[in-house]
Amino acid sequence: MFKKQELKNFLVLKSINENITNLQETDVVSLKALTCLVMANYDDFEALGDIIDVKGKKSNPDTYAKIIQYIALGERHKNSYGQFEQLINVMRQWYPIYQKIKDIREEYPRENYRQPKDFIKPIPGIDLYNKYRNYLTDQNTGSHYVDFGEEMESATT
């Protein structure tokens, strides 16, 4: 399709790109603002629908607004997503060590054994886990995106 109508399609993509480039940051968050942009330029977005094969009931202003929002937010948060992914990897490495420390502390409780001062210090990483805990849990279902185990839940609540 693109090869057949190369110039026309290029102009459509250029027009859409200009409209998206002119968006303010706050407009990207608001689906309503994006829908207004789509409605104002609907002919271009219908042509885009032909190019990217969006047809029938899916070819509507809300669909195009969501596509723009997804791409714009993905671009805006690509760096923070990479950093968050690194954090998750570190926390996955941290969890087995945390679990071993927790198991040793349970095996040798303070009531039965004399413990060095370091033995009762808070385990490093718990505060970090608690700080990002909401981001690791689906707010609708309560399921964890990253499963550190049941013990982690009970230890931090």
Side-chain angles (χ1 to χ4, degrees):
M1 173 81 181
F2 197 78
K3 288 181 181 179
K4 288 180 187 176
Q5 300 177 349
E6 190 175 309
L7 183 59
K8 181 181 176 189
N9 291 342
F10 177 74
L11 292 174
V12 166
L13 293 175
K14 183 179 178 192
S15 171
I16 291 173
N17 181 50
E18 286 172 0
N19 287 315
I20 292 172
T21 304
N22 293 330
L23 285 173
Q24 302 297 319
E25 273 202 41
T26 54
D27 293 339
V28 175
V29 177
S30 169
L31 193 58
K32 187 176 180 179
L34 292 174
T35 303
C36 289
L37 169 74
V38 170
M39 291 300 294
N41 302 285
Y42 197 67
D43 290 340
D44 288 339
F45 283 96
E46 276 188 317
L48 175 66
D50 291 338
I51 295 169
I52 62 174
D53 202 27
V54 175
K55 296 182 178 164
K57 291 180 182 179
K58 291 185 179 181
S59 182
N60 62 60
D62 286 341
T63 299
Y64 298 118
K66 288 176 184 176
I67 290 170
I68 293 169
Q69 188 176 48
Y70 179 81
I71 292 169
L73 291 174
E75 184 65 26
R76 179 196 291 177
H77 296 291
K78 70 181 176 189
N79 290 338
S80 57
Y81 177 78
Q83 292 170 345
F84 187 72
E85 198 170 326
Q86 288 176 343
L87 171 67
I88 295 302
N89 288 333
V90 167
M91 291 183 81
R92 281 188 182 130
Q93 293 170 1
W94 165 82
Y95 182 73
I97 298 166
Y98 158 80
Q99 193 60 50
K100 286 178 185 176
I101 293 170
K102 186 175 162 282
D103 290 345
I104 291 169
R105 287 183 176 185
E106 287 175 1
E107 188 176 340
Y108 301 100
R110 186 175 205 176
E111 299 81 36
N112 300 340
Y113 297 93
R114 259 189 39 210
Q115 298 175 341
K117 290 179 183 179
D118 288 345
F119 203 79
I120 58 173
K121 284 184 179 177
I123 299 172
I126 293 289
D127 292 336
L128 183 65
Y129 173 78
N130 286 330
K131 180 178 178 181
Y132 293 102
R133 179 186 193 159
N134 290 338
Y135 302 107
L136 302 172
T137 305
D138 183 319
Q139 300 303 312
N140 295 327
T141 64
S143 62
H144 301 284
Y145 296 121
V146 180
D147 184 14
F148 291 120
E150 299 258 341
E151 296 84 13
M152 187 65 198
E153 268 309 300
S154 61
T156 58
T157 53

